[in-house]
Amino acid sequence: MFDESLGRRAFLSASPSSSSPPLPATSSFSPIRSPSFSPPSRIPSTTSRLHPPPSSSSSSSSSFSYNARIALALVPCVLFLLDLGGTSVIAVLTIGLMVSYILDSLGLKLAAFISVWFSLIAAQIAFFFASSVSFLSIPVTVLASFFCGYVNFLVGVWASLQFKWMQIENPSIVTALERLLFACVPIAVPAMFTWATVSAVGMQNAGYYYMVFCCVFYWLFSIPRPSSFHSKQEPTDQILGSLESCFHTLHLLFVPLMFHVGSHHSVIFSSSESICDLFLLFFIPFLFQLYASTRGALWWVTKNEHEIYKIRIVNGAVAMVMVVICLEIRVVFHSFAKYMHASPPINYLLVTVVMLGGASAAGGYAVGMVNDAFSSTVFTTLMVLISGAGAIVVGLPVLLIPFPLISGFYLARFFTKKSLSSYFVFASLGSLMVAWFVMHNFWDLNIWVAGMSLKSFCKLIVADAIMAMAVPGLALLPSKLFFLTEIGLVAHALLLCYVEDRFFNYTNLYYFGYDDDVMYPSYMIVLTTCMGLALARRLVVDHRIGPKSFWILTCLYSSKLVLLFIASKSVLWVTSALFLAISPPLLLYKDRSRVASKMKQWQGFTHAGVVAIASWLFRETIFEALQWWNGRPPSDGLLLGSYILLTGLACSPIVFLHFSHVQLAKRALVLVVTSGLLLIFMQPPISLSWAYRSDLIMAAHHSADDISIYGFVASKPSWPGWLLIITILSTLAAITSIIPIKHIVELRALYAIGVGTTLGIYICTEYFFHAALLYPLIVATIVCASVFIVFTHLPSTSSTKILPWIFALLVALFPVTYLVEGQIRAKNLLEDDEENKFLTLLAVEGARMSLLGLYAMLFMVIALEIKFELTSLLHEKATERIIPSHITGQSSGFPSKFRLAQQRRASITPSFTIKKLAAEAAWMPAIGNFSTILCFIICLVLNMYLTGGSNRSIFFLAPILLLLNQDSDIFAGFGDKQRYFPLTLVISGYLYMIALHRIWEEIWNGDAGWGMEIGGPGWLFAIKNVALLVLTLPNYILFNRFMWDNVKQSDSVILLTMPLNLPSIIITDILTIRVLGLLGVVFSLVQYLISRRIRIAGMKYI
């Protein structure tokens, strides 16, 4: 019936002399266990039962191989903690991780490692202050806080294992961290998962939730597995020791029961169902533990496989009896007593025979006890007895009793004789029994459920059951008939999706004139999804189905999860279509010989078009999600941006997996994603007639209750947002070379003028919309800055002559625009009445500050551009000095980074280079310095207006002076060694002037007579604080001189000047002088440390 190799793969010989060899790890999840068992006389070493690591590396410096399962455990916990912590925790963690990433990019591996841990510690501190973790019981609150910190610590351990240098330099430490992670995760993570689940669904079944999570993570982490960092001498060295394994077993068996007792202590003995809960919470994990012992979970108890086998059989029998009895009381007689047609006590006896007999038969077959003729006869008799008892319980007519008996016989014959014809006989008779049961109990009821009559629903249930029973037999057919298995699985998945979609979206139940709501449980959707995905994965691994059917099944089952988040009647099918459109680059285009087989160009365009269509079908779901998030219907711009963003992200697998070598595809994807983000953030006005073809969107936008519900919102002209979007997209297109401005000078000029014009108009309409006379001046200013920046970065032959005049025009427009704005506001001030003069004055000041900020930004960008170009030029000169001149023409002799640098310069540099521009235009450093100084002065003016001369502001403004360059005029002696001199000089000078200003204000605004008596604001006050200010002066003179010439000062001089700052810190009355004193101490320490470092470096050189 099917070939011999398939038979050997699916079944093992049933002869008593045959013994089942140990299965490899890749086939340890076979759906049909071997019926034969022969306890070996000698057990191999425990390590032989270990699962192989995901990585094939065997060196001690191999990477951590279990990132996937650790992420499965810790990432949901981190998301839950971030939700509890709020914005402050997210901000602290984001900043810390960004700093860590920057340090790691700079090659500072130890600093990045320390930064990661400090980020987690800071996030934990912020969590304790900002989170909403609080319970009525103080011990519970303390325990919850402990688990939060515990999980945070495990995240830090996991992050530490990602540093390659730690794995190389400290192999023993990473091994210990791996062991710590595997030892702690099965304890901490189930508690966090249960906490999150209970927060969503309540505490009624919390003990069972905790039990399930304990079993899942026990299987993932407590089953013996080899270390990722095993050595060549011990290639199968396992992670956990006997102590951790014993502790995990005790946790699995007792903690769920203790948790249930602690949370339901007042009702644990209130009923028989509550007592059964206690037994179930102990014996179900016990049975799971015994099953896990088939994978080596009890290796720490004994190394004798025969003893493990006896432990498994004896304890499993006892546990199975207890579980079956408790399930009868807790589930069967509690929920399904109405379907039992036998009277007590016969019904108890028959149900016990069915459940206990079925469990015994399944357990005996699973452990290999059905391995000879006698056991096969007992197994067959038991199956027939179970079938007959079940038929009597459900009330099957006497004339139909032979059918379940025959069905049970053929099912037993299928397991013992491996006959596929027997299975199909069982499936046919079983389908008839299911159809009879459904028709007998539900067919004549006048009930509407899930939006349909009960008869229609019964037809779907029967069809689903028939396909579910037929698929296992179809999966064992020869490979030529596997298409029947694929058809059956896909049809079953479609029918299951349809049934659950109807149940979840149509919650009304109508019967005999009564209307009620019945909510389909969410856990059923999760359960059926997980089971479907696991079945599909198993079948594709065993080559029972092809990749295309696996692709369809994965998309269908995954799309059901959307029902948990979005309540829409069409969300399941549009999500399925979207998943089917997105997933082919990930699931279909796979090749055994290569990582990923590449698409052809026409296939890429076709898939992108399909993705766009699927995203358009998904528009109602996007609309509902945005409406739920914003609390009101989204604007058309937001809806269009979300659609474009979704389309771009959905096309990213196509680009990155199959067209990663095509730069144009990457650039187009960047433009699409950026367009979507800009539309989302800007939300410009747009009329989407295609969107209103949807009844849902049309009803939401034309609802008469919008104003009464959401209130009236004044409309603001938002069309200038299109100008900013065009500006950003044009700039991005130019940067990515979609617009070829690098080689066409005319196009470069047109681009610079166009971008400057659109940006200028946007700024005018958004920030100066009441001063139309300023529009030409501001637009001309932005255009001049745009042309200057573009032609400085990509110069032409006329740049040396034109750019200085453009910059001069830009500088000249600054005072003209400022004065014109002042005249306009003054004229309006004279024309306004007394009531509007105050508002006009505020508008004048606001507009002037906006103008100053605009020009400060423009001068800053120009200074940055010139600094970047000059630095690039110096770097190229240094590179040319490193490369020997005789190797210049030999590209094969270049080091890789120099060769790439040469190729980059050859490919992107236009005909007129930056080097020639710098040689023929000595004005570049001078203009950069002038822009830097203007920007700094404007920022100081803004600081005086906005903060009144804050002490802290100078520390943020002074770094602007790092943009100064060495030129031939003003800063002739200024070089790289003096780059920090302007910062320290400006900081100290600013603070001194602010201190003198504070003293002057106190003198002229205070009462001199009152001040002379008590030393307050007066001349005595002035003399004291001026003297304290003078005491800090020597320290600043020495430090600024040192920052200029880098000449080491005597240590005695530094030590003598440092104490002069202490009186200024202790007895001054002005905060600025105290800041100067503290800063002087810091400067002295910095000068001492730098001098010491220079001296040590000199001694090493000598």
Side-chain angles (χ1 to χ4, degrees):
M1 189 172 294
F2 49 91
D3 58 357
E4 185 180 358
S5 62
L6 180 60
R8 286 198 303 265
R9 184 169 187 176
F11 305 102
L12 296 177
S13 176
S15 62
S17 60
S18 63
S19 60
S20 59
L23 297 176
T26 55
S27 63
S28 60
F29 296 96
S30 179
I32 303 179
R33 304 293 300 170
S34 171
S36 61
F37 178 81
S38 178
S41 59
R42 181 180 62 86
I43 184 175
S45 62
T46 306
T47 55
S48 65
R49 299 184 61 85
L50 302 177
H51 295 263
S55 176
S56 60
S57 174
S58 60
S59 61
S60 60
S61 61
S62 60
S63 60
F64 183 57
S65 305
Y66 299 103
N67 280 320
R69 66 184 64 227
I70 295 294
L72 181 65
L74 292 183
V75 170
C77 295
V78 171
L79 295 178
F80 178 64
L81 292 179
L82 290 176
D83 180 65
L84 291 177
T87 308
S88 58
V89 177
I90 296 175
V92 171
L93 190 61
T94 302
I95 294 173
L97 294 181
M98 288 175 61
V99 172
S100 303
Y101 178 78
I102 293 171
L103 293 174
D104 186 64
S105 302
L106 296 175
L108 303 174
K109 50 186 182 181
L110 183 59
F113 174 78
I114 296 174
S115 177
V116 168
W117 276 99
F118 270 106
S119 303
L120 293 174
I121 293 172
Q124 188 63 44
I125 294 173
F127 180 84
F128 284 140
F129 286 100
S131 68
S132 56
V133 179
S134 61
F135 299 93
L136 297 177
S137 174
I138 295 178
V140 175
T141 303
V142 173
L143 186 62
S145 302
F146 167 75
F147 270 101
C148 295
Y150 191 16
V151 171
N152 194 18
F153 169 74
L154 294 179
V155 172
V157 173
W158 182 32
S160 302
L161 289 173
Q162 311 307 315
F163 288 92
K164 191 71 175 179
W165 63 271
M166 271 198 74
Q167 302 170 10
I168 298 174
E169 298 178 6
N170 305 286
S172 60
I173 293 179
V174 295
T175 303
L177 292 179
E178 182 187 43
R179 184 173 182 177
L180 177 65
L181 204 57
F182 269 70
C184 296
V185 165
I187 307 299
V189 172
M192 300 302 297
F193 274 64
T194 305
W195 186 1
T197 306
V198 164
S199 301
V201 300
M203 277 289 294
Q204 183 176 2
N205 299 311
Y208 288 100
Y209 302 147
Y210 191 77
M211 178 193 71
V212 171
F213 292 133
C214 285
C215 293
V216 170
F217 291 106
Y218 182 89
W219 183 268
L220 290 177
F221 295 97
S222 298
I223 301 296
R225 301 183 187 277
S227 173
S228 304
F229 313 104
H230 55 267
S231 61
K232 294 182 179 179
Q233 290 77 16
E234 297 182 356
T236 55
D237 186 21
Q238 67 184 43
I239 300 175
L240 297 176
S242 57
L243 179 62
E244 297 91 343
S245 299
C246 177
F247 191 79
H248 288 173
T249 300
L250 295 175
H251 174 267
L252 176 67
L253 296 180
F254 294 103
V255 175
L257 176 60
M258 296 170 61
F259 175 67
H260 178 76
V261 172
S263 58
H264 296 77
H265 57 86
S266 60
V267 294
I268 55 175
F269 298 111
S270 61
S271 63
S272 58
E273 287 84 0
S274 301
I275 297 175
C276 290
D277 287 335
L278 300 178
F279 287 104
L280 288 174
L281 288 172
F282 176 79
F283 284 104
I284 290 179
F286 190 36
L287 273 178
F288 179 80
Q289 170 70 47
L290 294 175
Y291 174 73
S293 66
T294 61
R295 304 296 191 272
L298 293 179
W299 67 271
W300 53 275
V301 176
T302 178
K303 294 184 178 180
N304 190 330
E305 185 68 20
H306 186 68
E307 294 182 2
I308 294 291
Y309 175 74
K310 291 193 297 183
I311 292 173
R312 191 182 305 136
I313 295 300
V314 176
N315 292 276
V318 175
M320 187 178 298
V321 170
M322 296 301 300
V323 169
V324 168
I325 294 175
C326 292
L327 286 178
E328 287 182 17
I329 300 173
R330 185 70 176 85
V331 178
V332 177
F333 289 104
H334 180 74
S335 302
F336 301 102
K338 65 179 74 174
Y339 303 111
M340 298 179 187
H341 294 270
S343 60
I346 301 298
N347 58 346
Y348 296 105
L349 178 62
L350 293 177
V351 170
T352 303
V353 169
V354 172
M355 295 192 64
L356 190 58
S360 302
Y365 186 84
V367 298
M369 296 180 65
V370 186
N371 54 8
D372 54 16
F374 175 75
S375 59
S376 299
T377 303
V378 174
F379 180 76
T380 303
T381 304
L382 187 59
M383 294 298 294
V384 172
L385 180 62
I386 293 169
S387 302
I392 295 173
V393 168
V394 298
L396 197 69
V398 177
L399 296 178
L400 299 180
I401 291 293
F403 289 100
L405 298 178
I406 297 172
S407 175
F409 172 78
Y410 277 102
L411 179 62
R413 190 171 184 272
F414 166 71
F415 283 111
T416 56
K417 303 298 183 181
K418 317 302 182 274
S419 172
L420 275 180
S421 59
S422 300
Y423 181 83
F424 283 112
V425 172
F426 155 75
S428 301
L429 294 177
S431 301
L432 290 176
M433 297 303 101
V434 171
W436 175 88
F437 178 81
V438 172
M439 294 183 65
H440 179 72
N441 290 281
F442 307 106
W443 189 259
D444 296 329
L445 297 179
N446 185 20
I447 296 176
W448 283 74
V449 62
M452 66 179 74
S453 65
L454 191 58
K455 289 184 179 180
S456 301
F457 185 74
C458 290
K459 295 176 184 178
L460 297 178
I461 294 298
V462 172
D464 204 6
I466 292 173
M467 285 188 288
M469 286 190 288
V471 164
L474 296 175
L476 298 175
L477 291 174
S479 57
K480 294 181 179 179
L481 301 176
F482 278 173
F483 70 93
L484 296 177
T485 307
E486 297 175 352
I487 293 174
L489 285 171
V490 173
H492 179 268
L494 287 171
L495 185 56
L496 181 63
C497 289
Y498 177 76
V499 170
E500 291 193 339
D501 179 56
R502 300 285 298 190
F503 258 130
F504 212 77
N505 288 313
Y506 297 90
T507 59
N508 60 312
L509 176 65
Y510 176 81
Y511 57 98
F512 299 107
Y514 295 96
D515 200 359
D516 197 2
D517 285 340
V518 178
M519 179 59 69
Y520 187 71
S522 301
Y523 66 85
M524 286 299 298
I525 291 182
V526 177
L527 180 62
T528 55
T529 299
C530 294
M531 292 178 63
L533 292 175
L535 176 63
R537 176 65 179 172
R538 183 60 189 172
L539 290 176
V540 77
V541 169
D542 288 343
H543 303 288
R544 306 286 185 183
I545 58 176
K548 292 184 176 61
S549 57
F550 174 70
W551 160 58
I552 296 174
L553 291 172
T554 302
C555 295
L556 288 176
Y557 282 117
S558 301
S559 61
K560 293 200 295 100
L561 296 175
V562 185
L563 293 173
L564 302 176
F565 306 100
I566 301 176
S568 174
K569 290 181 171 56
S570 61
V571 64
L572 175 62
W573 306 113
V574 296
T575 305
S576 301
L578 185 64
F579 284 175
L580 289 171
I582 295 174
S583 54
L586 301 171
L587 299 178
L588 286 186
Y589 292 86
K590 290 291 183 182
D591 195 340
R592 297 286 182 184
S593 59
R594 292 177 293 175
V595 177
S597 57
K598 304 298 182 182
M599 288 183 182
K600 296 179 180 179
Q601 187 174 5
W602 66 270
Q603 290 175 325
F605 281 112
T606 303
H607 280 295
V610 171
V611 166
I613 295 174
S615 300
W616 179 78
L617 295 175
F618 200 70
R619 68 191 187 280
E620 285 191 4
T621 304
I622 299 174
F623 182 86
E624 289 187 343
L626 294 174
Q627 186 176 19
W628 170 80
W629 181 264
N630 295 327
R632 60 177 300 128
S635 63
D636 292 338
L638 179 59
L639 183 61
L640 178 61
S642 302
Y643 164 73
I644 294 175
L645 179 62
L646 176 63
T647 304
L649 295 177
C651 290
S652 58
I654 302 175
V655 175
F656 291 112
L657 294 180
H658 301 276
F659 295 95
S660 57
H661 57 287
V662 181
Q663 296 298 323
L664 183 60
K666 293 182 178 179
R667 294 164 182 169
L669 180 64
V670 170
L671 281 179
V672 171
V673 173
T674 306
S675 302
L677 290 173
L678 289 173
L679 287 172
I680 289 173
F681 288 111
M682 300 299 299
Q683 298 185 25
I686 184 174
S687 178
L688 297 180
S689 58
W690 59 270
Y692 293 108
R693 295 179 183 177
S694 168
D695 296 335
L696 174 68
I697 301 177
M698 183 182 297
H701 276 285
H702 293 85
S703 174
D705 297 331
D706 279 350
I707 297 178
S708 61
I709 295 175
Y710 303 113
F712 180 77
V713 178
S715 61
K716 176 185 175 183
S718 54
W719 64 265
W722 283 111
L723 298 175
L724 184 60
I725 293 174
I726 294 172
T727 302
I728 296 176
L729 292 180
S730 302
T731 304
L732 191 59
I735 293 173
T736 56
S737 299
I738 294 180
I739 301 177
I741 65 172
K742 294 181 179 179
H743 305 286
I744 304 176
V745 178
E746 294 78 6
L747 186 60
R748 196 182 312 160
L750 183 63
Y751 162 77
I753 296 173
V755 167
T757 303
T758 54
L759 183 60
I761 296 174
Y762 170 78
I763 292 175
C764 291
T765 53
E766 283 291 321
Y767 302 102
F768 302 96
F769 53 90
H770 290 303
L773 188 60
L774 294 178
Y775 286 8
L777 298 175
I778 294 176
V779 171
T781 301
I782 304 297
V783 169
C784 290
S786 174
V787 171
F788 185 90
I789 293 169
V790 170
F791 280 89
T792 302
H793 188 70
L794 300 172
S796 63
T797 54
S798 58
S799 295
T800 56
K801 300 176 182 178
I802 297 178
L803 290 184
W805 294 102
I806 293 177
F807 182 78
L809 178 60
L810 174 64
V811 174
L813 285 172
F814 172 40
V816 172
T817 307
Y818 189 81
L819 293 175
V820 169
E821 196 278 337
Q823 291 297 323
I824 294 175
R825 299 297 181 180
K827 182 180 178 181
N828 293 335
L829 185 63
L830 293 176
E831 294 177 356
D832 289 340
D833 52 9
E834 293 296 332
E835 297 179 357
N836 296 328
K837 282 187 178 181
F838 179 71
L839 296 177
T840 305
L841 286 174
L842 291 179
V844 168
E845 293 299 325
R848 287 180 176 178
M849 295 304 103
S850 300
L851 273 178
L852 291 176
L854 174 63
Y855 276 95
M857 180 269 295
L858 294 177
F859 289 129
M860 170 75 80
V861 174
I862 291 173
L864 277 171
E865 173 62 27
I866 293 177
K867 185 71 174 181
F868 172 76
E869 299 298 344
L870 294 178
T871 305
S872 301
L873 179 60
L874 293 176
H875 178 70
E876 290 184 8
K877 288 183 177 179
T879 304
E880 291 175 357
R881 293 194 197 100
I882 295 174
I883 304 176
S885 58
H886 65 278
I887 309 181
T888 304
Q890 304 176 7
S891 61
S892 61
F894 281 0
S896 60
K897 61 180 181 179
F898 296 141
R899 182 165 63 252
L900 290 174
Q902 293 289 339
Q903 293 174 358
R904 178 181 178 273
R905 288 197 297 270
S907 62
I908 69 171
T909 306
S911 58
F912 190 81
T913 61
I914 295 293
K915 188 183 300 183
K916 189 174 181 181
L917 175 64
E920 297 185 8
W923 44 263
M924 279 189 67
I927 288 182
N929 293 335
F930 188 70
S931 300
T932 302
I933 294 172
L934 275 179
C935 176
F936 181 72
I937 294 173
I938 295 174
C939 290
L940 283 180
V941 174
L942 288 173
N943 174 54
M944 296 300 297
Y945 272 105
L946 299 176
T947 67
S950 172
N951 298 328
R952 297 183 296 270
S953 60
I954 190 60
F955 296 100
F956 297 98
L957 298 179
I960 296 174
L961 298 177
L962 288 174
L963 299 177
L964 292 173
N965 307 287
Q966 182 182 9
D967 58 16
S968 58
D969 299 322
I970 304 175
F971 297 96
F974 182 77
D976 188 61
K977 292 183 179 181
Q978 292 83 24
R979 63 181 180 275
Y980 294 110
F981 171 73
L983 273 73
T984 58
L985 181 63
V986 166
I987 290 173
S988 54
Y990 176 84
L991 292 177
Y992 272 102
M993 288 189 294
I994 292 295
L996 292 174
H997 179 69
R998 295 285 189 269
I999 296 173
W1000 182 263
E1001 282 186 341
E1002 293 293 342
I1003 290 175
W1004 287 103
N1005 295 332
D1007 186 351
W1010 175 78
M1012 291 294 292
E1013 292 179 358
I1014 63 172
W1019 290 109
L1020 182 60
F1021 169 85
I1023 292 172
K1024 180 184 71 171
N1025 287 283
V1026 169
L1028 294 174
L1029 187 63
V1030 172
L1031 287 177
T1032 62
L1033 193 59
N1035 203 107
Y1036 283 91
I1037 293 174
L1038 290 175
F1039 185 74
N1040 283 288
R1041 180 182 174 187
F1042 174 74
M1043 296 303 293
W1044 176 259
D1045 54 20
N1046 288 323
V1047 176
K1048 179 182 179 299
Q1049 301 289 337
S1050 175
D1051 294 342
S1052 59
V1053 176
I1054 299 175
L1055 295 175
L1056 287 175
T1057 57
M1058 185 188 300
L1060 296 177
N1061 297 287
L1062 297 179
S1064 303
I1065 298 173
I1066 298 172
I1067 63 176
T1068 185
D1069 300 314
I1070 297 177
L1071 179 61
T1072 307
I1073 300 178
R1074 184 173 290 111
V1075 172
L1076 281 167
L1078 292 171
L1079 195 60
V1081 174
V1082 173
F1083 281 174
S1084 298
L1085 292 175
V1086 170
Q1087 183 177 356
Y1088 172 76
L1089 293 175
I1090 295 177
S1091 300
R1092 184 173 178 272
R1093 182 179 179 182
I1094 293 173
R1095 181 174 62 84
I1096 293 174
M1099 295 299 293
K1100 289 181 179 180
Y1101 180 77
I1102 295 175

